[in-house]
Amino acid sequence: MNFSVHLQRSGRQFDASPAESVLDAAMRHGILIPYGCRNGACGSCRGKILEGQIDYPAGEPGGLDGRQRARGEALLCQAHAASDLKLDVEELDAGQVAEVRTLPVRVMELEKLAHDVMRMGLKLPATERLRYLPGQYIEIILRDGRRRAFSLANPPQADELLELHIRHVPGGAFSGHVFDGLKVRALMRIHGPLGSFFLRDEPRPAILVAGGTGFAPMQALIEGAIAAADKRELHLYWGVRSARDLYRDERARRWAAQHSQVRYVPVLSDPDGEDWNGRTGFVHEAVLEDFEDLSGHDVYASGPPVMINAVRGHFVDVGLDLDHLYYDSFDYAYETGYDA
């Protein structure tokens, strides 16, 4: 028995089997709902259940906090319809989302940006081009079929090579291979573009909060906005442990120096013994120190789950509407998640 799912904002309806996720059912009908990891970790596919009941066959997902559950929100990549449903959820215009494809690529460049961050440059076949939005990600398909997801760090306007920032994760099989065994000109397969982490067409100023290699999609967002002559205010806060982890600091400072709409604030959480005169502490705290009211802002956050949870939990207290929070959680613990 299938159930009917009604989308409040557009009035569209589709049927969903109890054996499939609500997200999969929507996509089967050509309805595009934001999503990211598709395993309940990142929270990008959240929607509010206005009427009806859902089940989580795989258990409660980790990408929702208690406050969101209390608001009646659910993660649609994990939620299965248990009755007819009425949902309040963002829908994407088909023109915003490119066709997802599997393509061969060749590793053309490997550049160490920091002690534990490698820049990988991937080249598509001469007859192919990957159409994507700044902020989206691709999956690298490993030989055994497993996948590793990485944000594209270059905007589409500069796509001679697809640029990835890969962090060396202790014990990470793929990142270890990238640092210790991968050779230039090696062949790989990629799948993408994926995810819905991209700038919305809104006039509000945007606060971009990056943690570690969460800088990668922010680089694409900012350089894409500059190329598109987007004049909205972009406030980039980049949180890392120590100064050596600011692997693209000069580039970010150049954006701010050359473009009046861009502001850049690096934040060190552990500058022990360093000659550092800048901001210290947790990156979300630096934002809260600078903004007493976030009700008129969009917030884009990319980085580890602990940072995303802090942003999600504390920014609401100063007026952020969760409908204007977009995030990309680099969750290393999930097999289909980031190994960055």
Side-chain angles (χ1 to χ4, degrees):
M1 174 184 178
N2 288 348
F3 296 110
S4 176
V5 181
H6 175 85
L7 302 180
Q8 182 190 47
R9 299 188 192 186
S10 66
R12 300 173 75 182
Q13 286 186 258
F14 60 93
D15 67 280
S17 163
E20 64 184 340
S21 71
V22 175
L23 174 64
D24 285 342
M27 295 177 70
R28 178 166 56 81
H29 287 84
I31 296 173
L32 304 175
I33 293 173
Y35 71 92
C37 65
R38 299 189 70 166
N39 56 37
C42 74
S44 298
C45 63
R46 71 185 188 277
K48 190 172 184 179
I49 309 297
L50 301 176
E51 295 177 9
Q53 301 294 323
I54 58 163
D55 288 329
Y56 287 121
E60 287 280 342
L64 283 180
D65 59 28
R67 190 180 321 202
Q68 289 171 312
R69 291 189 181 93
R71 281 164 46 103
E73 294 185 0
L75 295 188
L76 302 183
C77 72
Q78 300 296 299
H80 291 219
S83 71
D84 291 343
L85 296 174
K86 185 176 183 180
L87 304 178
D88 180 16
V89 64
E90 180 186 6
E91 293 178 62
L92 302 176
D93 189 321
Q96 293 177 289
V97 181
E99 177 188 2
V100 178
R101 298 188 293 161
T102 299
L103 295 166
V105 292
R106 189 179 294 274
V107 178
M108 297 302 294
E109 294 180 358
L110 290 170
E111 175 192 4
K112 212 168 184 181
L113 298 178
H115 69 288
D116 64 348
V117 178
M118 186 76 77
R119 172 185 168 273
M120 179 188 292
L122 302 175
K123 188 171 184 62
L124 289 161
T127 57
E128 297 287 358
R129 187 179 183 199
L130 187 69
R131 180 172 169 260
Y132 63 94
L133 295 170
Q136 289 190 292
Y137 70 91
I138 60 172
E139 292 177 334
I140 292 179
I141 304 173
L142 306 183
R143 289 184 178 181
D144 62 5
R146 290 180 299 163
R147 303 183 180 214
R148 292 293 182 269
F150 298 96
S151 294
L152 292 158
N154 58 299
Q157 298 90 341
D159 64 349
E160 180 180 353
L161 295 179
L162 302 177
E163 178 179 327
L164 311 179
H165 298 172
I166 300 175
R167 187 172 78 85
H168 193 182
V169 178
F174 178 72
S175 62
H177 174 61
V178 169
F179 274 74
D180 300 328
L182 186 63
K183 303 297 183 185
V184 171
R185 302 200 63 80
L187 289 173
M188 293 181 169
R189 286 188 305 148
I190 64 170
H191 183 71
L194 299 166
S196 51
F197 188 71
F198 51 80
L199 287 177
R200 274 28 180 204
D201 186 16
E202 298 284 357
R204 288 182 293 273
I207 297 173
L208 314 180
V209 188
T213 49
F215 177 85
M218 298 306 191
Q219 176 180 302
L221 289 182
I222 291 173
E223 293 187 347
I226 291 171
D230 187 334
K231 297 302 182 183
R232 84 182 82 182
E233 295 177 22
L234 300 173
H235 302 266
L236 172 63
Y237 288 76
W238 187 12
V240 296
R241 183 165 295 171
S242 62
R244 70 174 182 170
D245 300 313
L246 294 169
Y247 59 84
R248 280 279 166 88
D249 184 60
E250 291 185 9
R251 190 168 185 151
R253 292 184 186 277
R254 189 164 62 248
W255 297 332
Q258 296 177 354
H259 303 278
S260 60
Q261 76 273 29
V262 180
R263 179 178 177 232
Y264 168 52
V265 181
V267 184
L268 304 188
S269 64
D270 188 20
D272 187 32
E274 293 185 87
D275 183 17
W276 175 257
N277 297 317
R279 304 286 285 275
T280 60
F282 293 119
V283 65
H284 75 280
E285 294 173 339
V287 176
L288 293 172
E289 290 170 3
D290 294 347
F291 293 88
E292 294 181 355
D293 183 3
L294 292 175
S295 60
H297 293 76
D298 290 340
V299 173
Y300 296 82
S302 61
V306 64
M307 187 203 81
I308 300 295
N309 290 337
V311 166
R312 202 164 52 190
H314 293 287
F315 284 17
V316 173
D317 295 334
V318 291
L320 178 67
D321 184 341
L322 286 176
D323 286 340
H324 297 298
L325 170 62
Y326 310 96
Y327 47 88
D328 192 0
S329 181
F330 286 27
D331 198 319
Y332 313 125
Y334 288 83
E335 193 63 47
T336 57
Y338 285 81
D339 182 8

